[in-house]
Amino acid sequence: MGIRGKGKWILGGLILLIVFFLHTIVTFYTEILWYKEVDYLSVFWKILFTNTGIRIAQIAVFALFFFLNFLVVKKALLFHLKREMAPNVIDIGKPEGGNSIFKDISSRAASWFLALISIIMAIIFSAFNPQAWRDLLFYLNRTDFGVVEPILGQDAGFYVFQLPFFRFLFESGLLMLGVTLVILGVIYVYLGRTSTKMVNISTSGQKHLCFLGGLFLLLRGWGYRLDMHMLLFSREGVVFGPGYVDANIKMPVLNILSIMLLVMGVILLISIFLRTRKHVPVLIVAWLLVAFLAGTVYPGIIQRLRVEPNEIALEEEFIANNIRFTNYAFGLDNIREVDFPLDGELDWATVEENRLTINNLRIWDWRPILETYRQLEERRPYYVFNRVDIDRYVIDGEYQQVMLAPRELDQNLLPERAKTWVNQALRYTHGMGMVLNPVSNFTSEGFPEFYIRDIPPASVVDLTIENPAIYYGESAPEYVVANNEGGEFHYPRGDDNVYVHYEGIGGIPVDNFMRRLAFALRFRSIQILLASDITAESRVMFDRIIHDRVRKIAPFLQYDQDPYTVIHDGRIFWIQDAYTISSNFPYSEPYGQWGNYVRNSVKIVIDAYNGTVEFYIIDEDDPIIQTYDKIFPDLFKSIDEMPQGLENHLRYPEDFFTLQSRVLTTYHMKDSRVFYNREDQWDLPRERYGDRIINMTPYYTLLQLPGEDELEFVLMLPFTPVGRNNMVAWMAALCDPGRYGELVLYHFPKDRLAFGPMQIEARIDQDGEISRQISLWDQRGSRVIRGNLLVIPIGGTVLYVEPLFLESEEAQIPQVRRVIMAAGDKVVMEETVEDALRVLVGERIEEELPAEIEKKVIIDEEIYDVFELVQRVGELFQEAQQALRDGNWSEYGQLQEDLEEILNRLSKIIEEEF
């Protein structure tokens, strides 16, 4: 191949290299523009520079250490290679047998080769900890918890902020020394076996290995000190954290091993200057033997012979530590516990006293109403309701609980022929408004009684949406170009469409050729560069899905899976909960991905129109968020800076509450002996939904807490004993400003029965009238859906409410058909909440018939009770239908005759009275 041919290959290779790195550079450039748009560029640089700096420092230290050690052995290696090649050495440039062999090997070339090998090894072995940047910044900005663990006397902050960084340094050093020892050990053994005259090299090799071994032992001695602290995360006892053996056997042994290795390390370093080093293998064997016998065998013997026969007595204080630290770590240490007497009886006076709670009973279940929303309000195939949120608003002067759902636009649902670049990038850019309805109201047809509905959204109350466009949500595509020349589809109007031009501050202006080119390369779309609709005023929006948006800004937080929408100042906002978590809190029991310390410390507000993201600290007492605030001073704001209209809609997050409830099922037991025996273990209840048995989930509700007059928006969940279905307690998390985050645990008396959800479900199943009606509806062509069973404490007793939905298999629009209620020993099913309450407490429903008809009338000198006749008609009809299904024709005929007789009486009453 000629020079020109080689040049072409080189040029081609350079072009490919440039193309590869060009996309990386373009992506980096557009990422900087994105972070600048959201005004968190400082967070991006802080993470990037810290991560890059640590990696470079690691590579430099590893490479330098490897290289210096390789230089020590270089001379011996070169000498060995010369001896191996001596029989074939010839003059430079004189070929023999077609091969060109040099007379000498360049020491400088060997140094460069060893340097290259050192750098490659450093890059490989320094990449094992991607979270090193956080460990370093935690260490440099650490905050005390003010909670001191009782065994080693360290603040919990040492374990959360300092110990991970010390472990990182220890593991990095151990890896570096270990790899070097292994490689050099192999080299020295190889040299010693293949050369009989290199006595000096063998001696220097021993000194070299002794030096490295001494450093290794000194470092391992420090590691034993760290292992003492790591025992606070032991999983080997009856509970998480150190037990009797850990505190009284293993910790002293680790302390002895630490001192022993420090002494041995010094001896190995001193042995460099001694003539003999025969004692070195003895020291190594002694260390391993002591570590095995004292660190493994002896603790096992003590555990088996001393601890297990006396486990409760010896482990009691360690169980108490686990209980105390676990409750603190999951925010359960300040829970307020109250006795719920269960001494009341539901009567009409109690109903009226709790009218605010009654008016906000949540009849609509989020699962069936989501399908109802989709059928009634999506209107076009590309609109979608992803989820239903539950919130509260002051509407027309009344504090009400509502359900709402944003109407987003999903480009994946466009017809295939409509999925053009113009439509996806320029036209279909945003969703449109939302629907909102009270949780307890429904029409006579069983549909939601909407406060806000339609496209564009229209309101029948004083809560309105002036800017309904949703550019940032949960269904946003990869990118769009807003404020383009052709306009963006806003909403359909009859046979036409309404178009708008974006007027917000979201997105990145493409006001120069460089930016257009960069985005065209990033999204691999030449249309961005060529489209005439894109002007200098257009704005490129990407990473619009709020889950991705907040994670990209602050990847070190953990995020709730259920962001929700809020109407504020006529606009739509998203609120996203975020958590600070750790797996390094001493003694605390870990719970899966949550680790063993959790705080809901951050509330994030995302503007659905502008895409702005604001991080608010709501738990200012959390040391982890205090540390993050030191690390990223431009990221967080105080909750006091949140607009009041948004703060009024903060909710206690369901994910966190569910976790706390799981923890509380065990850790409500504060006595160590009761805890050890699990004498009072609780469980989360189960309920029937549709035709399935599911775990009961926490639910939001507006209610008057026992002993209080004001209506509170709370998240609540009952508890049952393990293996039993009755209720023993219920917990509420308060959500309203001023009392946000308070947890209250209400205990039912142990000498009285509080029916649990599954017991109420069983009583509903056993009620003949309700079962017959459900069976009648649940025929072919329709499906009965039993909604959420709500447990509502009211007036010293408990009210149970379960809606009944009917869904046609063809239309698939769930409709409310009945409301089932239970209290005490009574279960009823009626058409409305008010009717069910009246029947439940024994109030007669006189509004069912026209006012002109008296309760009792006299016809042909006979007195008839109209209400009893009407009620009997319904009963006879149900009995006749059941007889028909059973094939009992004689009974069916008799029931038809009875029914005809009563209908004749009613007909006569109507003729006489009207």
mmCIF file of all heavy atoms in Angstrom, residues 410-446:
data_model
loop_
_atom_site.group_PDB
_atom_site.id
_atom_site.type_symbol
_atom_site.label_atom_id
_atom_site.label_comp_id
_atom_site.label_asym_id
_atom_site.label_seq_id
_atom_site.Cartn_x
_atom_site.Cartn_y
_atom_site.Cartn_z
ATOM 1 N N ASP A 410 -50.791 12.279 24.050
ATOM 2 C CA ASP A 410 -49.853 11.193 23.806
ATOM 3 C C ASP A 410 -49.711 10.984 22.300
ATOM 4 O O ASP A 410 -50.622 10.501 21.634
ATOM 5 C CB ASP A 410 -50.351 9.904 24.473
ATOM 6 C CG ASP A 410 -49.321 8.782 24.430
ATOM 7 O OD1 ASP A 410 -48.320 8.914 23.700
ATOM 8 O OD2 ASP A 410 -49.527 7.763 25.125
ATOM 9 N N GLN A 411 -48.546 11.378 21.764
ATOM 10 C CA GLN A 411 -48.331 11.272 20.327
ATOM 11 C C GLN A 411 -48.349 9.830 19.825
ATOM 12 O O GLN A 411 -48.602 9.594 18.633
ATOM 13 C CB GLN A 411 -47.005 11.930 19.948
ATOM 14 C CG GLN A 411 -46.999 13.438 20.117
ATOM 15 C CD GLN A 411 -45.718 14.061 19.598
ATOM 16 O OE1 GLN A 411 -44.806 13.351 19.172
ATOM 17 N NE2 GLN A 411 -45.629 15.373 19.636
ATOM 18 N N ASN A 412 -48.107 8.887 20.701
ATOM 19 C CA ASN A 412 -48.149 7.477 20.289
ATOM 20 C C ASN A 412 -49.551 7.050 19.863
ATOM 21 O O ASN A 412 -49.715 6.033 19.180
ATOM 22 C CB ASN A 412 -47.654 6.571 21.411
ATOM 23 C CG ASN A 412 -46.192 6.793 21.730
ATOM 24 O OD1 ASN A 412 -45.378 6.950 20.827
ATOM 25 N ND2 ASN A 412 -45.848 6.823 23.008
ATOM 26 N N LEU A 413 -50.561 7.811 20.282
ATOM 27 C CA LEU A 413 -51.946 7.473 19.961
ATOM 28 C C LEU A 413 -52.441 8.158 18.692
ATOM 29 O O LEU A 413 -53.610 7.984 18.320
ATOM 30 C CB LEU A 413 -52.855 7.839 21.145
ATOM 31 C CG LEU A 413 -52.527 7.134 22.468
ATOM 32 C CD1 LEU A 413 -53.446 7.626 23.577
ATOM 33 C CD2 LEU A 413 -52.633 5.625 22.323
ATOM 34 N N LEU A 414 -51.590 8.954 18.056
ATOM 35 C CA LEU A 414 -51.969 9.539 16.780
ATOM 36 C C LEU A 414 -52.130 8.434 15.735
ATOM 37 O O LEU A 414 -51.442 7.411 15.798
ATOM 38 C CB LEU A 414 -50.896 10.522 16.312
ATOM 39 C CG LEU A 414 -50.795 11.869 17.037
ATOM 40 C CD1 LEU A 414 -49.535 12.597 16.588
ATOM 41 C CD2 LEU A 414 -52.026 12.719 16.770
ATOM 42 N N PRO A 415 -53.007 8.626 14.758
ATOM 43 C CA PRO A 415 -53.093 7.659 13.649
ATOM 44 C C PRO A 415 -51.727 7.534 12.968
ATOM 45 O O PRO A 415 -50.956 8.491 12.915
ATOM 46 C CB PRO A 415 -54.138 8.281 12.717
ATOM 47 C CG PRO A 415 -54.942 9.173 13.599
ATOM 48 C CD PRO A 415 -54.013 9.696 14.634
ATOM 49 N N GLU A 416 -51.444 6.371 12.439
ATOM 50 C CA GLU A 416 -50.134 6.116 11.854
ATOM 51 C C GLU A 416 -49.782 7.131 10.763
ATOM 52 O O GLU A 416 -48.659 7.606 10.676
ATOM 53 C CB GLU A 416 -50.074 4.691 11.282
ATOM 54 C CG GLU A 416 -49.971 3.600 12.333
ATOM 55 C CD GLU A 416 -48.740 3.762 13.211
ATOM 56 O OE1 GLU A 416 -47.659 4.088 12.676
ATOM 57 O OE2 GLU A 416 -48.865 3.575 14.434
ATOM 58 N N ARG A 417 -50.740 7.484 9.953
ATOM 59 C CA ARG A 417 -50.454 8.428 8.873
ATOM 60 C C ARG A 417 -50.229 9.847 9.395
ATOM 61 O O ARG A 417 -49.694 10.686 8.670
ATOM 62 C CB ARG A 417 -51.596 8.422 7.860
ATOM 63 C CG ARG A 417 -51.681 7.128 7.053
ATOM 64 C CD ARG A 417 -52.636 7.268 5.898
ATOM 65 N NE ARG A 417 -52.643 6.067 5.059
ATOM 66 C CZ ARG A 417 -53.337 5.956 3.933
ATOM 67 N NH1 ARG A 417 -54.068 6.974 3.510
ATOM 68 N NH2 ARG A 417 -53.292 4.842 3.238
ATOM 69 N N ALA A 418 -50.685 10.101 10.601
ATOM 70 C CA ALA A 418 -50.503 11.436 11.177
ATOM 71 C C ALA A 418 -49.175 11.573 11.921
ATOM 72 O O ALA A 418 -48.841 12.658 12.385
ATOM 73 C CB ALA A 418 -51.661 11.766 12.113
ATOM 74 N N LYS A 419 -48.425 10.472 12.042
ATOM 75 C CA LYS A 419 -47.157 10.516 12.780
ATOM 76 C C LYS A 419 -46.025 11.016 11.894
ATOM 77 O O LYS A 419 -45.023 10.336 11.662
ATOM 78 C CB LYS A 419 -46.835 9.133 13.346
ATOM 79 C CG LYS A 419 -47.782 8.696 14.455
ATOM 80 C CD LYS A 419 -47.409 7.326 15.001
ATOM 81 C CE LYS A 419 -48.360 6.894 16.106
ATOM 82 N NZ LYS A 419 -48.036 5.542 16.630
ATOM 83 N N THR A 420 -46.210 12.213 11.377
ATOM 84 C CA THR A 420 -45.171 12.850 10.583
ATOM 85 C C THR A 420 -44.288 13.698 11.490
ATOM 86 O O THR A 420 -44.667 14.019 12.629
ATOM 87 C CB THR A 420 -45.806 13.737 9.502
ATOM 88 O OG1 THR A 420 -46.549 14.792 10.155
ATOM 89 C CG2 THR A 420 -46.739 12.934 8.619
ATOM 90 N N TRP A 421 -43.135 14.093 10.962
ATOM 91 C CA TRP A 421 -42.231 14.921 11.777
ATOM 92 C C TRP A 421 -42.890 16.246 12.121
ATOM 93 O O TRP A 421 -42.770 16.735 13.259
ATOM 94 C CB TRP A 421 -40.913 15.167 11.032
ATOM 95 C CG TRP A 421 -39.971 15.999 11.836
ATOM 96 C CD1 TRP A 421 -39.104 15.582 12.787
ATOM 97 C CD2 TRP A 421 -39.849 17.438 11.793
ATOM 98 N NE1 TRP A 421 -38.433 16.650 13.349
ATOM 99 C CE2 TRP A 421 -38.877 17.799 12.741
ATOM 100 C CE3 TRP A 421 -40.462 18.432 11.035
ATOM 101 C CZ2 TRP A 421 -38.496 19.119 12.969
ATOM 102 C CZ3 TRP A 421 -40.096 19.751 11.255
ATOM 103 C CH2 TRP A 421 -39.125 20.090 12.208
ATOM 104 N N VAL A 422 -43.602 16.849 11.161
ATOM 105 C CA VAL A 422 -44.250 18.134 11.413
ATOM 106 C C VAL A 422 -45.259 18.014 12.551
ATOM 107 O O VAL A 422 -45.300 18.847 13.466
ATOM 108 C CB VAL A 422 -44.933 18.656 10.127
ATOM 109 C CG1 VAL A 422 -45.818 19.869 10.439
ATOM 110 C CG2 VAL A 422 -43.900 19.015 9.079
ATOM 111 N N ASN A 423 -46.096 16.967 12.510
ATOM 112 C CA ASN A 423 -47.099 16.794 13.559
ATOM 113 C C ASN A 423 -46.462 16.532 14.915
ATOM 114 O O ASN A 423 -46.883 17.084 15.940
ATOM 115 C CB ASN A 423 -48.042 15.650 13.205
ATOM 116 C CG ASN A 423 -49.106 16.078 12.222
ATOM 117 O OD1 ASN A 423 -49.385 17.259 12.049
ATOM 118 N ND2 ASN A 423 -49.706 15.102 11.541
ATOM 119 N N GLN A 424 -45.458 15.686 14.938
ATOM 120 C CA GLN A 424 -44.882 15.277 16.218
ATOM 121 C C GLN A 424 -43.943 16.320 16.810
ATOM 122 O O GLN A 424 -43.829 16.416 18.030
ATOM 123 C CB GLN A 424 -44.156 13.940 16.044
ATOM 124 C CG GLN A 424 -45.105 12.788 15.738
ATOM 125 C CD GLN A 424 -44.389 11.460 15.635
ATOM 126 O OE1 GLN A 424 -43.389 11.331 14.944
ATOM 127 N NE2 GLN A 424 -44.893 10.461 16.323
ATOM 128 N N ALA A 425 -43.278 17.086 15.985
ATOM 129 C CA ALA A 425 -42.323 18.059 16.511
ATOM 130 C C ALA A 425 -42.894 19.461 16.610
ATOM 131 O O ALA A 425 -42.491 20.231 17.491
ATOM 132 C CB ALA A 425 -41.066 18.078 15.635
ATOM 133 N N LEU A 426 -43.852 19.815 15.727
ATOM 134 C CA LEU A 426 -44.304 21.199 15.652
ATOM 135 C C LEU A 426 -45.765 21.413 16.028
ATOM 136 O O LEU A 426 -46.115 22.470 16.554
ATOM 137 C CB LEU A 426 -44.087 21.746 14.233
ATOM 138 C CG LEU A 426 -42.681 21.661 13.651
ATOM 139 C CD1 LEU A 426 -42.651 22.253 12.261
ATOM 140 C CD2 LEU A 426 -41.670 22.367 14.548
ATOM 141 N N ARG A 427 -46.628 20.443 15.759
ATOM 142 C CA ARG A 427 -48.058 20.682 15.925
ATOM 143 C C ARG A 427 -48.607 20.148 17.249
ATOM 144 O O ARG A 427 -49.157 20.889 18.050
ATOM 145 C CB ARG A 427 -48.821 20.054 14.748
ATOM 146 C CG ARG A 427 -48.463 20.630 13.396
ATOM 147 C CD ARG A 427 -48.911 22.075 13.235
ATOM 148 N NE ARG A 427 -48.448 22.605 11.960
ATOM 149 C CZ ARG A 427 -47.354 23.350 11.819
ATOM 150 N NH1 ARG A 427 -46.634 23.671 12.889
ATOM 151 N NH2 ARG A 427 -46.988 23.780 10.623
ATOM 152 N N TYR A 428 -48.484 18.848 17.470
ATOM 153 C CA TYR A 428 -49.082 18.238 18.672
ATOM 154 C C TYR A 428 -48.076 18.304 19.819
ATOM 155 O O TYR A 428 -47.328 17.364 20.083
ATOM 156 C CB TYR A 428 -49.511 16.806 18.376
ATOM 157 C CG TYR A 428 -50.655 16.727 17.398
ATOM 158 C CD1 TYR A 428 -50.421 16.616 16.027
ATOM 159 C CD2 TYR A 428 -51.970 16.795 17.842
ATOM 160 C CE1 TYR A 428 -51.476 16.559 15.123
ATOM 161 C CE2 TYR A 428 -53.038 16.728 16.954
ATOM 162 C CZ TYR A 428 -52.773 16.620 15.589
ATOM 163 O OH TYR A 428 -53.822 16.570 14.708
ATOM 164 N N THR A 429 -48.072 19.437 20.501
ATOM 165 C CA THR A 429 -47.009 19.725 21.482
ATOM 166 C C THR A 429 -47.468 19.677 22.925
ATOM 167 O O THR A 429 -46.624 19.572 23.817
ATOM 168 C CB THR A 429 -46.421 21.122 21.211
ATOM 169 O OG1 THR A 429 -47.484 22.094 21.311
ATOM 170 C CG2 THR A 429 -45.789 21.199 19.843
ATOM 171 N N HIS A 430 -48.783 19.748 23.192
ATOM 172 C CA HIS A 430 -49.195 19.886 24.590
ATOM 173 C C HIS A 430 -50.595 19.334 24.837
ATOM 174 O O HIS A 430 -51.404 19.209 23.917
ATOM 175 C CB HIS A 430 -49.139 21.353 25.020
ATOM 176 C CG HIS A 430 -50.023 22.248 24.195
ATOM 177 N ND1 HIS A 430 -49.622 22.787 22.998
ATOM 178 C CD2 HIS A 430 -51.295 22.710 24.392
ATOM 179 C CE1 HIS A 430 -50.587 23.540 22.494
ATOM 180 N NE2 HIS A 430 -51.610 23.496 23.325
ATOM 181 N N GLY A 431 -50.841 19.016 26.106
ATOM 182 C CA GLY A 431 -52.150 18.554 26.538
ATOM 183 C C GLY A 431 -53.081 19.715 26.812
ATOM 184 O O GLY A 431 -52.708 20.893 26.683
ATOM 185 N N MET A 432 -54.296 19.407 27.262
ATOM 186 C CA MET A 432 -55.315 20.443 27.391
ATOM 187 C C MET A 432 -56.162 20.253 28.640
ATOM 188 O O MET A 432 -57.050 19.390 28.706
ATOM 189 C CB MET A 432 -56.207 20.430 26.140
ATOM 190 C CG MET A 432 -57.434 21.327 26.189
ATOM 191 S SD MET A 432 -57.130 23.028 26.687
ATOM 192 C CE MET A 432 -55.887 23.527 25.511
ATOM 193 N N GLY A 433 -55.864 21.024 29.683
ATOM 194 C CA GLY A 433 -56.731 21.138 30.842
ATOM 195 C C GLY A 433 -56.871 19.880 31.672
ATOM 196 O O GLY A 433 -56.016 18.989 31.658
ATOM 197 N N MET A 434 -57.991 19.798 32.363
ATOM 198 C CA MET A 434 -58.243 18.657 33.247
ATOM 199 C C MET A 434 -59.717 18.554 33.538
ATOM 200 O O MET A 434 -60.511 19.425 33.160
ATOM 201 C CB MET A 434 -57.460 18.811 34.551
ATOM 202 C CG MET A 434 -57.828 20.042 35.362
ATOM 203 S SD MET A 434 -57.122 20.002 37.028
ATOM 204 C CE MET A 434 -55.400 19.776 36.715
ATOM 205 N N VAL A 435 -60.067 17.466 34.216
ATOM 206 C CA VAL A 435 -61.422 17.303 34.740
ATOM 207 C C VAL A 435 -61.336 17.270 36.258
ATOM 208 O O VAL A 435 -60.318 16.863 36.830
ATOM 209 C CB VAL A 435 -62.090 16.016 34.209
ATOM 210 C CG1 VAL A 435 -62.322 16.117 32.726
ATOM 211 C CG2 VAL A 435 -61.256 14.788 34.533
ATOM 212 N N LEU A 436 -62.427 17.718 36.902
ATOM 213 C CA LEU A 436 -62.440 17.767 38.368
ATOM 214 C C LEU A 436 -63.865 17.585 38.840
ATOM 215 O O LEU A 436 -64.800 18.168 38.275
ATOM 216 C CB LEU A 436 -61.862 19.110 38.835
ATOM 217 C CG LEU A 436 -61.748 19.368 40.335
ATOM 218 C CD1 LEU A 436 -60.515 20.247 40.629
ATOM 219 C CD2 LEU A 436 -62.989 20.044 40.905
ATOM 220 N N ASN A 437 -64.029 16.754 39.867
ATOM 221 C CA ASN A 437 -65.364 16.510 40.424
ATOM 222 C C ASN A 437 -65.258 16.238 41.919
ATOM 223 O O ASN A 437 -64.228 15.759 42.400
ATOM 224 C CB ASN A 437 -66.035 15.326 39.731
ATOM 225 C CG ASN A 437 -65.295 14.031 39.941
ATOM 226 O OD1 ASN A 437 -64.312 13.762 39.255
ATOM 227 N ND2 ASN A 437 -65.747 13.214 40.893
ATOM 228 N N PRO A 438 -66.315 16.532 42.681
ATOM 229 C CA PRO A 438 -66.308 16.184 44.108
ATOM 230 C C PRO A 438 -66.331 14.670 44.287
ATOM 231 O O PRO A 438 -66.880 13.947 43.451
ATOM 232 C CB PRO A 438 -67.585 16.832 44.646
ATOM 233 C CG PRO A 438 -68.463 16.989 43.458
ATOM 234 C CD PRO A 438 -67.546 17.216 42.288
ATOM 235 N N VAL A 439 -65.739 14.199 45.359
ATOM 236 C CA VAL A 439 -65.575 12.749 45.550
ATOM 237 C C VAL A 439 -66.882 12.054 45.908
ATOM 238 O O VAL A 439 -66.995 10.841 45.736
ATOM 239 C CB VAL A 439 -64.530 12.462 46.650
ATOM 240 C CG1 VAL A 439 -63.172 12.979 46.258
ATOM 241 C CG2 VAL A 439 -64.975 13.036 47.991
ATOM 242 N N SER A 440 -67.846 12.800 46.404
ATOM 243 C CA SER A 440 -69.049 12.146 46.948
ATOM 244 C C SER A 440 -70.287 12.290 46.075
ATOM 245 O O SER A 440 -71.277 11.607 46.293
ATOM 246 C CB SER A 440 -69.363 12.723 48.340
ATOM 247 O OG SER A 440 -69.519 14.129 48.261
ATOM 248 N N ASN A 441 -70.245 13.151 45.072
ATOM 249 C CA ASN A 441 -71.450 13.431 44.292
ATOM 250 C C ASN A 441 -71.463 12.643 42.992
ATOM 251 O O ASN A 441 -70.421 12.453 42.360
ATOM 252 C CB ASN A 441 -71.544 14.925 43.965
ATOM 253 C CG ASN A 441 -71.681 15.777 45.216
ATOM 254 O OD1 ASN A 441 -71.654 15.259 46.326
ATOM 255 N ND2 ASN A 441 -71.833 17.071 45.030
ATOM 256 N N PHE A 442 -72.665 12.236 42.599
ATOM 257 C CA PHE A 442 -72.844 11.601 41.296
ATOM 258 C C PHE A 442 -74.266 11.879 40.816
ATOM 259 O O PHE A 442 -75.167 12.154 41.601
ATOM 260 C CB PHE A 442 -72.569 10.095 41.364
ATOM 261 C CG PHE A 442 -73.297 9.369 42.457
ATOM 262 C CD1 PHE A 442 -74.541 8.796 42.231
ATOM 263 C CD2 PHE A 442 -72.736 9.243 43.724
ATOM 264 C CE1 PHE A 442 -75.216 8.126 43.231
ATOM 265 C CE2 PHE A 442 -73.404 8.573 44.736
ATOM 266 C CZ PHE A 442 -74.647 8.005 44.499
ATOM 267 N N THR A 443 -74.432 11.827 39.503
ATOM 268 C CA THR A 443 -75.729 12.140 38.907
ATOM 269 C C THR A 443 -76.689 10.968 39.070
ATOM 270 O O THR A 443 -76.309 9.878 39.520
ATOM 271 C CB THR A 443 -75.568 12.461 37.409
ATOM 272 O OG1 THR A 443 -75.139 11.274 36.734
ATOM 273 C CG2 THR A 443 -74.538 13.570 37.201
ATOM 274 N N SER A 444 -77.933 11.193 38.656
ATOM 275 C CA SER A 444 -78.930 10.116 38.751
ATOM 276 C C SER A 444 -78.562 8.939 37.854
ATOM 277 O O SER A 444 -78.999 7.812 38.097
ATOM 278 C CB SER A 444 -80.314 10.649 38.370
ATOM 279 O OG SER A 444 -80.288 11.204 37.054
ATOM 280 N N GLU A 445 -77.752 9.191 36.796
ATOM 281 C CA GLU A 445 -77.290 8.105 35.931
ATOM 282 C C GLU A 445 -76.041 7.417 36.475
ATOM 283 O O GLU A 445 -75.555 6.446 35.892
ATOM 284 C CB GLU A 445 -76.994 8.632 34.523
ATOM 285 C CG GLU A 445 -78.194 9.117 33.749
ATOM 286 C CD GLU A 445 -78.567 10.541 34.136
ATOM 287 O OE1 GLU A 445 -77.734 11.192 34.808
ATOM 288 O OE2 GLU A 445 -79.672 10.979 33.790
ATOM 289 N N GLY A 446 -75.506 7.931 37.585
ATOM 290 C CA GLY A 446 -74.328 7.306 38.182
ATOM 291 C C GLY A 446 -73.007 7.830 37.650
ATOM 292 O O GLY A 446 -71.963 7.201 37.872
#
